[in-house]
């Protein structure tokens, strides 16, 4: 009789875990040798000029005059810029033209408070992570200082941003490290890491985040003895530590309404609720919304902050030529009105395929995918992100 047949389930599963982990590590070392960090592509001078808001000619003159960062020049004389250089030029232009500074450098000004957007839905697979990622990258490419927070123990956002959460993180390297109840808590600033995208920082996630779900009930029952923050304030308190470093924080929530999600909702200044417009997904929504409202009112009565600048539903993986989907979208619009973003994020093989190679449409070059598919998908994402940005501007009192 071999040892397998006598091993109990816990032993067997542990063995599987170790086998898998070893194999994944081997694979990873082969695919991503330790030094091959993910990088963001560079931008042509035309793209850079458009992103900065100047003409290509002006940008060329700056480079000829030796002002600002020097772009990479190819053998044929083509100039290309990194995002860091584009951001440097944004600062340069803002200094040069203080009256139009905001048009070049959109950082928030005194009096404009940090915006925190929680991307959430109880439904698994409703494109929360994709929506978070595209929004965070969109804002960073537009010159905002962005912090992305991965609150999902599955850590798909972290891995889309180039991390291997199973290997790259030590204990306490997730948001859990900053919100835990014991004395090992550390400042959020020590947990935040830069990404390969200038202006976009990350609080990574991994399974460790589950600890918060396990420990919170204990902390609640020990409350008489402890004096720490309530669970629903902890995410917000941690984010406040780095308030001055960012313009926008975007939080990818796990697909349950647990303590982490409730913390994110309380920390948020606005909510983005992703909806996949399919009957099976929408059917349970009314019941779920009631349950959410119930839970949130408990949190509010206990002192949680549930005022939000805006709450928007965003239709994702939308197939506009699918009749049942159209009916659901029409229903949502008639019921929730302006709370549904006008733009929808289209279902697209370009988004799905780019997801497989851990890239977004913002990262790949036009031409790597069929042009019409790429353009249509990117247009829909940009339109949705543009509406969210308009909401942020409104919250800041910008016109
Ligand atoms: N617009 C889209 N077009 C095509 N595929 C998409 C689109 N948006 C998301 N997907 C794909 O759908 C799947 C689920 O998306 P995603 O991981 O963003 O959902 P999620 O809500 O974060 O899931 P979970 O609840 O597991 O965290 C992924 O494989 C993703 O690549
Ligand atoms: Mg997700």
């Amino acid at each position: 009789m071999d040892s397998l047949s006598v091993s109990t389930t816990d032993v067997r599963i542990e063995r599987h875990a170790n086998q898998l982990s070893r194999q994944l590590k081997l694979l990873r070392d082969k695919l991503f040798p330790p030094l091959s960090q993910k990088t963001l592509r560079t931008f042509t001078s035309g793209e850079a000029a458009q992103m900065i808001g100047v003409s290509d000619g002006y940008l060329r003159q700056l480079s000829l005059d030796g002002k600002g960062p020097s772009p990479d020049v190819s053998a044929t004389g083509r100039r290309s810029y990194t995002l860091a250089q584009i951001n440097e030029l944004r600062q340069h232009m803002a200094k040069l033209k203080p009256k139009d500074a905001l048009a070049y450098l959109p950082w928030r000004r005194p009096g404009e408070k940090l915006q925190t957007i929680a991307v959430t839905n109880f439904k698994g697979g409703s494109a929360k992570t994709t929506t978070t990622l595209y929004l965070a990258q969109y804002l960073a490419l537009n010159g905002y200082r962005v912090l992305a927070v991965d609150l999902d123990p599955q850590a798909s956002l972290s891995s889309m941003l180039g991390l291997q959460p199973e290997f790259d993180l030590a204990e306490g390297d997730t948001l859990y490290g900053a919100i835990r109840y014991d004395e090992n808590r550390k400042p959020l600033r020590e947990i935040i890491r830069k990404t390969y995208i200038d202006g976009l920082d990350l609080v990574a996630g991994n399974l460790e985040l589950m600890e918060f779900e396990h420990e919170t009930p204990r902390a609640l029952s020990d409350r008489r003895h402890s004096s720490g923050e309530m669970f629903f304030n902890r995410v917000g308190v941690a984010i406040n530590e780095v308030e001055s470093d960012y313009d926008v924080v975007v939080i990818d929530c796990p697909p349950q309404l647990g303590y982490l999600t409730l913390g994110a909702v309380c920390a948020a200044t606005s909510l983005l609720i992703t909806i996949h417009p399919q009957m099976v997904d929408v059917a349970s929504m009314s019941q779920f919304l009631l349950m959410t409202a119930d839970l949130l009112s408990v949190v509010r009565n206990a002192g949680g902050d549930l005022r939000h600048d805006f709450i928007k539903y965003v239709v994702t993986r939308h197939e506009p030529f699918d009749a049942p989907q159209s009916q659901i979208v029409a229903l949502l619009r008639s019921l929730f009105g302006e709370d549904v973003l006008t733009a929808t994020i289209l279902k697209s093989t370009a988004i799905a395929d780019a997801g497989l190679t851990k890239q977004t449409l913002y990262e790949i070059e036009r031409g790597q995918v069929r042009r019409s598919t790429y353009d249509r998908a990117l247009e829909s994402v940009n339109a949705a992100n543009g509406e969210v940005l308009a909401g942020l501007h409104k919250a800041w009192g910008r016109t």
Side-chain angles (χ1 to χ4, degrees), residues 4 22 44 64 83 139 144 192 300 302 339 359 362 381 390 395:
L4 232 173
R22 261 198 308 280
T44 66
L64 289 176
L83 180 59
L139 292 170
Y144 294 86
I192 290 173
R300 181 166 51 80
D339 290 345
Q359 284 183 309
Y362 291 128
V381 179

Side-chain angles (χ1 to χ4, degrees), residues 61-354:
Q61 198 53 51
L62 275 184
S63 137
L64 289 176
D65 294 349
K67 293 201 180 112
S70 13
D72 214 38
V73 185
S74 75
T76 55
R78 283 172 180 278
R79 286 165 297 126
S80 58
Y81 293 82
T82 65
L83 180 59
Q85 290 178 325
I86 290 170
N87 283 335
E88 211 179 305
L89 285 159
R90 282 173 166 145
Q91 300 204 33
H92 178 79
M93 291 305 300
K95 263 196 218 117
L96 214 63
K97 312 213 162 159
K99 259 189 18 218
D100 300 319
L102 209 52
Y104 297 112
L105 194 68
W107 295 2
R108 67 196 165 92
R109 298 165 302 182
E112 297 176 342
K113 72 175 176 179
L114 175 70
Q115 294 295 306
T116 301
I117 304 175
V119 180
T120 184
N121 188 317
F122 50 99
K123 275 283 177 195
S126 59
K128 294 177 289 297
T129 302
T130 307
T131 304
T132 308
L133 182 66
Y134 274 86
L135 178 61
Q137 290 193 351
Y138 171 90
L139 292 170
L141 288 169
N142 278 283
Y144 294 86
R145 298 164 301 171
V146 184
L147 177 65
V149 180
D150 191 350
L151 263 197
D152 189 343
Q154 296 187 68
S156 0
L157 181 69
S158 307
S159 61
M160 283 297 291
L161 284 171
L163 276 186
Q164 305 260 321
E166 203 198 338
F167 307 110
D168 293 343
L169 303 188
E171 195 201 319
D173 276 352
T174 70
L175 189 74
Y176 173 70
I179 62 176
R180 61 197 294 168
Y181 296 93
D182 61 18
E183 63 287 354
N184 292 327
R185 180 146 42 94
K186 58 183 183 186
L188 185 60
R189 206 169 257 120
E190 289 175 18
I191 296 171
I192 290 173
R193 53 187 72 215
K194 300 254 163 252
T195 68
Y196 56 93
I197 297 174
D198 191 60
L200 175 57
D201 292 352
L202 171 71
V203 176
N206 73 9
L207 270 179
E208 168 190 90
L209 283 162
M210 288 299 292
E211 298 292 325
F212 190 70
E213 303 291 345
H214 299 146
E215 281 170 9
T216 296
R218 210 175 316 142
L220 281 171
S221 64
D222 283 355
R223 184 126 179 86
R224 279 160 296 135
H225 312 292
S226 68
S227 56
E229 285 289 346
M230 289 289 281
F231 73 87
F232 47 79
N233 284 332
R234 287 184 169 253
V235 178
V237 166
I239 289 173
N240 260 336
E241 293 170 17
V242 296
E243 183 270 345
S244 58
D245 298 357
Y246 301 99
D247 302 303
V248 187
V249 178
V250 190
I251 309 179
D252 184 23
C253 293
Q256 312 92 28
L257 232 166
Y259 297 115
L260 287 166
T261 302
L262 287 171
V265 168
C266 287
T269 52
S270 35
L271 303 182
L272 212 49
I273 303 173
T274 53
I275 300 183
H276 180 215
Q278 231 160 36
M279 211 48 213
V280 280
D281 290 302
V282 174
S284 58
M285 196 160 153
S286 144
Q287 260 183 324
F288 178 81
L289 289 176
L290 276 178
M291 208 174 80
T292 308
D294 254 12
L295 257 177
L296 291 181
S297 75
V298 172
V299 166
R300 181 166 51 80
N301 288 329
D305 186 357
L306 286 175
R307 293 162 304 169
H308 293 109
D309 290 322
F310 62 84
I311 300 176
K312 295 281 186 189
Y313 295 94
V314 52
V315 174
T316 60
R317 280 160 70 200
H318 185 206
E319 297 166 90
F321 301 112
D322 179 282
Q325 280 208 9
S326 303
Q327 278 176 11
I328 291 172
V329 174
L331 176 75
L332 291 171
R333 288 199 193 287
S334 74
L335 295 175
F336 303 156
E338 282 192 351
D339 290 345
V340 184
L341 286 191
T342 307
T344 61
I345 298 179
L346 297 182
K347 176 172 180 177
S348 165
T349 49
I351 294 178
D353 290 350

